[in-house]
Structure formats: structure tokens, C-alpha cells
Amino acid sequence: MGGHTAIHMKTLNTKTTALLLIDVINDFEFEGSEQLLRYALPAAKRLARLKERLAGEGVPVIYVNDNFGRWQSDFKEQIVRCSSVDSFGRDVANRLLPVEGEYFVLKPKHSGFYSTSLDVLLGFLGIETLILAGFASDICVLYTANDAYMRDYQLVIPSDCVAAESKERNALALRHMKTLLKARVVNSRSIL
């Protein structure tokens, strides 16, 4: 499902493109997390390289993260908790820690758009194309992609930078995004 069509920065306007990192600052302390983490860790390694390349080209990086039912937490507290030695998801979180100048949006439900300021932020930044990566591809990435599609954003999904609890569920989500949401599903190395 990865495809081999390269998306060059000439066709991907860096001034109107943003990278959304969905639920990557995550403690992985929920039912099914062991299966997801098995696929999420290799995806996180590739995503860290993609993030570095895109940020180097001036593409804004936006963390779109679940608040995991901690309604009084903030993103900095979540980073500390999820990257600590006690966190099951620390290896993923530590590979994808935010740096100065990156954005974040905390979401209460599956979609990054539902009851958040994401759409306002994207409008402020003049974004037309979203590169969606993170976890889980068949839940939060898919729901965010769906809501982005309904708002007329162009979608790019680096297939090797998303993960679900199984290869089958991941493939089904990627096929859905490609077929029904008109997303360009590509390997992260082809995003030059």
C-alpha cells in the first residue's frame, strides 16, 4: 500500500503544507497497546527522520495529541509523563519529542478536528496540504483524515509512519484513506 510515487517539494508546497503527528506522545497504557507498540516503534523511527527532513524544509510540525482523559493536564506534563522511565511508550515518545517552534493541539476524542483549535491554527498558517502520521492509523489517524477531507485539505499519508494493532488493520485504513479520502499514500522516503 506504500506506493512508489515520489512527492517532491516542488509539487508539495512547503509554505502550504503541515506535518501532523497524531498521538505520538503516548504512554501506550491501554488495552491492545502491546500489539500497537510492536508496529509503532519502527514507524516512530522512520517518522523521526521524516519530521527532521520536513522541518528542515520549513514545513510546520503540529502535534495533535489525545489528552487521555486527563482534562487538567497540559502538553508539557504529558511529554514528561510519556517520556519517563516508567512509561510503556517512552521509546516512541523520546524519538518524537517536540522542539522549539513546533505547535500542539490537545484533542478530547479520535479526530484532531473535533472540539479543538486545529482548523483555526491551520487557517492561520495558510495550510492546504496535510501530511498525517502517527497512531493508530485505523482510529485517530483515520478520523483526523476523514475530517480533514471534509474540510477540503489535500492529504498525504506516509504509509511507513503510521501503525495499527495489526498489519491487516493498518492496510485497511490506508486503503480507505487512499480510495475514499483521495489521500496520496506513499513511503516516507519518497517525500523528498
Side-chain angles (χ1 to χ4, degrees):
M1 189 91 295
H4 295 291
T5 305
I7 298 177
H8 298 279
M9 288 301 176
K10 290 178 185 170
T11 60
L12 193 66
N13 185 343
T14 58
K15 296 192 184 318
T16 60
T17 299
L19 173 63
L20 269 57
L21 303 180
I22 300 168
D23 290 340
V24 300
I25 305 300
N26 195 322
D27 60 15
F28 285 86
E29 293 180 18
F30 50 85
E31 188 176 330
S33 66
E34 279 189 48
Q35 296 93 316
L36 177 57
L37 191 56
R38 175 180 171 201
Y39 299 108
L41 188 53
K45 292 175 184 176
R46 293 183 290 268
L47 181 50
R49 289 191 294 270
L50 177 63
K51 176 189 168 198
E52 185 178 344
R53 273 199 333 266
L54 291 173
E57 293 289 335
V59 172
V61 175
I62 305 170
Y63 287 77
V64 180
N65 230 91
D66 200 318
N67 70 21
F68 299 105
R70 298 171 184 244
W71 290 97
Q72 294 176 325
S73 68
D74 64 28
F75 192 52
K76 288 181 182 177
E77 286 177 16
Q78 195 160 325
I79 292 166
V80 170
R81 184 175 51 79
C82 293
S83 61
S84 75
V85 70
D86 298 330
S87 173
F88 190 56
R90 69 187 169 277
D91 291 336
V92 169
N94 284 322
R95 279 181 167 71
L96 295 166
L97 293 173
V99 298
E100 186 79 28
E102 294 177 339
Y103 302 91
F104 72 91
V105 172
L106 286 177
K107 63 185 179 68
K109 291 285 187 180
H110 307 312
S111 171
F113 288 93
Y114 179 77
S115 294
T116 73
S117 60
L118 180 59
D119 210 18
V120 176
L121 174 59
L122 295 172
F124 172 77
L125 295 172
I127 302 301
E128 297 171 2
T129 301
L130 299 175
I131 301 172
L132 302 180
F135 320 115
S137 58
D138 61 334
I139 304 172
C140 297
V141 175
L142 177 62
Y143 284 100
T144 301
N146 185 69
D147 284 356
Y149 175 75
M150 291 194 305
R151 288 167 172 79
D152 295 321
Y153 289 102
Q154 299 297 308
L155 299 173
V156 177
I157 314 295
S159 60
D160 56 332
C161 295
V162 296
E165 290 180 22
S166 72
K167 288 182 180 182
E168 296 77 21
R169 287 173 65 167
N170 191 54
L172 184 63
L174 290 171
R175 190 169 22 260
H176 179 92
M177 289 184 276
K178 181 177 183 176
T179 305
L180 300 177
L181 306 181
K182 302 188 181 24
R184 290 185 279 177
V185 177
V186 298
N187 187 287
S188 64
R189 289 185 308 271
S190 71
I191 303 174
L192 304 175

